[in-house]
Amino acid sequence: MNKKLKITLISLSILLLVGLVSAASFALMPKASHKPSDYDLGVTYEQASREDKPIIGVFYVDWCTYCQRFMPKLDKVRNINKNDLNVVLINVDDPQNAKIAEEYRISGYPTVYIMDPKYDNRVHIDSAYLDSVTSLNKEVQRYLNFRKLIKKGESCK
């Protein structure tokens, strides 16, 4: 093989390799962040309040990048616990939610509470626990375990 042909084949191989690596990296890159309001959880705060399940209430605004990054984690925790609780999103920019945002004294986003209308209880989940599915789910499980103890106590009366 002549030298010119070898150089051409090597150059084409390198270009092909670079193209494949680029295509693979684009495929693995995180997708564009969705706004929290893009997530359809299927239940409103009013509907969830009437059920005998605790609620994870997430106060958010669509322009908040932390809220956008948090939503996939919340969605995973929701799927893990879908039989035991409801998840509701409360858009603080929506004037219809002004009363509840004021009641909970929302000042940062996202703000997450476990709300339990049956026992008139609310537990704030610190933002440090929102960084991973594992830590958020651990806090949710802690509350669900506590709630089981309360129910067990009620049945012993």
Side-chain angles (χ1 to χ4, degrees):
M1 219 187 265
N2 70 24
K3 191 174 180 179
K4 210 174 195 182
L5 184 59
K6 279 186 183 180
I7 291 173
T8 303
L9 288 175
I10 290 172
S11 298
L12 287 173
S13 298
I14 290 171
L15 286 173
L16 180 63
L17 182 61
V18 167
L20 289 173
V21 168
S22 295
S25 67
F26 280 118
L28 296 175
M29 284 176 61
K31 305 299 180 227
S33 293
H34 294 288
K35 298 181 297 186
S37 60
D38 290 340
Y39 287 79
D40 180 17
L41 304 180
V43 64
T44 65
Y45 176 74
E46 291 75 24
Q47 292 167 328
S49 296
R50 290 189 292 268
E51 293 187 25
D52 183 25
K53 290 181 181 181
I55 302 164
I56 296 178
V58 179
F59 294 88
Y60 75 93
V61 289
D62 275 335
W63 50 261
C64 168
T65 57
Y66 296 110
C67 299
Q68 293 166 7
R69 287 194 305 245
F70 172 64
M71 288 307 299
K73 297 171 198 151
L74 174 69
D75 201 37
K76 286 180 183 174
V77 171
R78 179 182 68 92
N79 285 324
I80 292 168
N81 299 288
K82 63 184 164 197
N83 295 326
D84 298 318
L85 54 81
N86 287 310
V87 176
V88 296
L89 300 176
I90 303 161
N91 185 345
V92 179
D93 278 343
D94 184 340
Q96 293 179 358
N97 296 324
K99 185 178 176 185
I100 190 169
E102 184 178 314
E103 178 185 337
Y104 279 81
R105 306 226 186 275
I106 304 305
S107 62
Y109 314 109
T111 297
V112 180
Y113 276 90
I114 297 176
M115 307 163 171
D116 201 336
K118 179 176 181 174
Y119 297 108
D120 190 25
N121 191 23
R122 58 175 82 162
V123 177
H124 177 257
I125 298 182
D126 191 87
S127 60
Y129 294 103
L130 306 182
D131 286 342
S132 74
V133 171
T134 303
S135 62
L136 176 59
N137 194 53
K138 192 173 189 178
E139 289 303 296
V140 168
Q141 289 303 313
R142 186 184 322 263
Y143 185 81
L144 292 174
N145 290 336
F146 179 70
R147 192 173 198 263
K148 285 177 189 172
L149 290 173
I150 293 171
K151 280 188 162 192
K152 192 177 201 182
E154 285 178 348
S155 66
C156 292
K157 290 181 180 178

